[in-house]
Amino acid sequence: MNNNTKEMLRSKFITFEGTEGVGKTTQIELLQEYLQSKKIKTLVTREPGGTKTGERIREILLDKKSTNLDSHAELLLMFAARAQHLDEVIYPALQKNIWVLCDRFTDASYAYQGGGRGVPLSEILKLESVVQGNFQPDLTILLTCDIKTGMQRVARRGKKDRFEKERLEFFEQVQDTYLQRAKDNPLRIRVVNADQAINEVAIAIQTTVNQRFPELLF
């Protein structure tokens, strides 16, 4: 098998990011359907979570009773769940030539704990280096929408978790940080307007994936 063939068979790690209410779950499901129509094996997972340990950590992080959780404790819990997630789920799937679609990854730590909580980005970078080395997603889809619109969508879902109860300014800071990361990483992070109809967003994502990996999808 030559090197070009090996590259064509290599699986991809695609992450979805964005503030609350941008429709990540729906769009991940639609992209999975699209990739499967191309005969590509896929695995959908999420952060925090993805493993038994990660899901237990998720319960702590999202629990409204965790009101006194320190920002650094929150960040460390996120990376603890991420380390387990990489070891148990993400790396093994990629090694089996399965494409992994993940609802949030390390960009979320920069946006939420960095932009939202004010943890220095240099500290997040150190944890990123320890937990994942140079490993990065092959593509990150950043869904954006008007913050108020997103929060209205969240409100319609019913009960809010610990993050969803944050003030509007918090999410504005989160989105600003996401957009700055997209500006700093234009090849990896692609911004998609989630204010459009669901099918229009899905088409935009499919187009982005096709452009990013033309040798694999055509």
Side-chain angles (χ1 to χ4, degrees):
M1 182 182 293
N2 61 42
N3 290 333
N4 289 334
T5 303
K6 289 180 180 178
E7 174 62 24
M8 289 183 67
L9 290 176
R10 195 171 74 85
S11 53
K12 302 299 181 183
F13 180 41
I14 302 177
T15 59
F16 281 71
E17 300 285 356
T19 56
E20 311 305 316
V22 294
K24 290 185 285 78
T25 301
T26 297
Q27 293 304 328
I28 289 172
E29 291 175 354
L30 291 174
L31 180 60
Q32 182 182 38
E33 291 176 6
Y34 175 72
L35 292 175
Q36 289 176 339
S37 75
K38 299 285 187 179
K39 308 302 181 184
I40 293 175
K41 294 181 180 179
T42 60
L43 170 69
V44 172
T45 188
R46 68 179 183 180
E47 289 206 350
T51 66
K52 289 183 178 180
T53 299
E55 291 297 328
R56 291 171 66 185
I57 293 174
R58 181 186 181 89
E59 291 178 5
I60 295 172
L61 289 165
L62 301 189
D63 191 345
K64 290 179 289 186
K65 296 178 181 178
S66 301
T67 53
N68 296 322
L69 192 62
D70 178 77
S71 296
H72 283 88
E74 181 180 281
L75 177 66
L76 290 167
L77 285 170
M78 288 288 187
F79 271 98
R82 183 164 299 133
Q84 199 67 28
H85 195 199
L86 285 165
D87 183 65
E88 283 191 38
V89 177
I90 297 173
Y91 289 152
L94 294 174
Q95 290 167 359
K96 295 176 182 177
N97 203 34
I98 298 172
W99 286 39
V100 178
L101 309 182
C102 190
D103 185 340
R104 300 198 190 284
F105 193 59
T106 308
D107 290 301
S109 294
Y110 283 96
Y112 278 78
Q113 283 74 55
R117 303 291 190 214
V119 175
L121 300 186
S122 59
E123 295 181 9
I124 301 174
L125 179 61
K126 290 178 182 178
L127 286 172
E128 178 184 14
S129 178
V130 169
V131 170
Q132 62 197 73
N134 295 322
F135 178 74
Q136 293 288 333
D138 295 287
L139 173 65
T140 296
I141 303 294
L142 173 57
L143 297 173
T144 63
C145 75
D146 177 75
I147 299 297
K148 291 183 179 179
T149 300
M151 296 316 296
Q152 288 171 356
R153 294 173 181 171
V154 171
R156 288 196 292 269
R157 294 201 299 247
K159 295 181 179 180
K160 296 181 180 181
D161 63 36
R162 191 172 68 90
F163 284 98
E164 293 169 344
K165 291 175 69 65
E166 284 291 342
R167 65 195 188 285
L168 197 65
E169 292 77 14
F170 174 86
F171 294 110
E172 290 174 343
Q173 293 165 353
V174 168
Q175 181 152 280
D176 286 347
T177 305
Y178 269 135
L179 291 172
Q180 183 59 52
R181 287 188 65 74
K183 183 179 180 180
D184 294 340
N185 302 274
L187 180 62
R188 177 174 68 82
I189 305 177
R190 305 295 178 86
V191 180
V192 175
N193 178 14
D195 278 321
Q196 309 172 79
I198 291 175
N199 64 315
E200 293 177 340
V201 177
I203 291 171
I205 291 172
Q206 291 168 16
T207 300
T208 297
V209 172
N210 289 338
Q211 291 172 343
R212 184 70 179 87
F213 312 117
E215 76 283 6
L216 296 168
L217 294 168
F218 291 102

